[in-house]
């Protein structure tokens, strides 16, 4: 592959990922899964996508959809946590 072809493919992957993430964010007020799971799904859908491209698409989609909850770090409110019970 030529360098121009590779750059186009990567650029197209970022654009396609942006469309997909924008659609996901419009459908859901908050993420339905952790960000790494979205990265894994995006990489499967768009093999030419780089992690930096995914992050750019993520941030652009969150801004375009005005979904601040998608950009907040840490565990989401109401997410289940594993509880450890001590024996009585």
């Amino acid at each position: 592959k030529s360098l121009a072809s590779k750059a186009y493919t990567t650029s197209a992957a970022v654009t396609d990922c942006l469309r997909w993430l924008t659609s996901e964010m419009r459908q859901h007020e908050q993420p339905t899964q952790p960000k790494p799971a979205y990265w894994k799904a995006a990489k499967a859908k768009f093999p030419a996508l780089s992690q930096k491209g995914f992050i750019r698409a993520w941030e652009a989609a969150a801004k375009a959809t005005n979904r601040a909850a998608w950009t907040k770090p840490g565990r989401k409110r109401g997410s289940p946590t594993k509880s450890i019970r001590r024996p009585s």
Side-chain angles (χ1 to χ4, degrees), residues 8-62:
Y8 173 77
T9 305
T10 302
S11 175
V14 172
T15 302
D16 291 343
C17 180
L18 174 60
R19 284 189 195 120
W20 173 66
L21 286 171
T22 300
S23 173
E24 288 290 310
M25 290 181 188
R26 284 194 174 125
Q27 289 176 23
H28 307 285
E29 188 74 29
Q30 300 215 0
T32 58
Q33 54 191 342
K35 191 173 183 179
Y38 281 101
W39 159 238
K40 187 176 178 181
K43 188 64 178 169
K45 285 177 178 279
F46 318 108
L49 185 66
S50 67
Q51 191 167 13
K52 283 185 179 183
F54 170 76
I55 292 167
R56 282 194 311 271
W58 181 278
E59 290 170 356

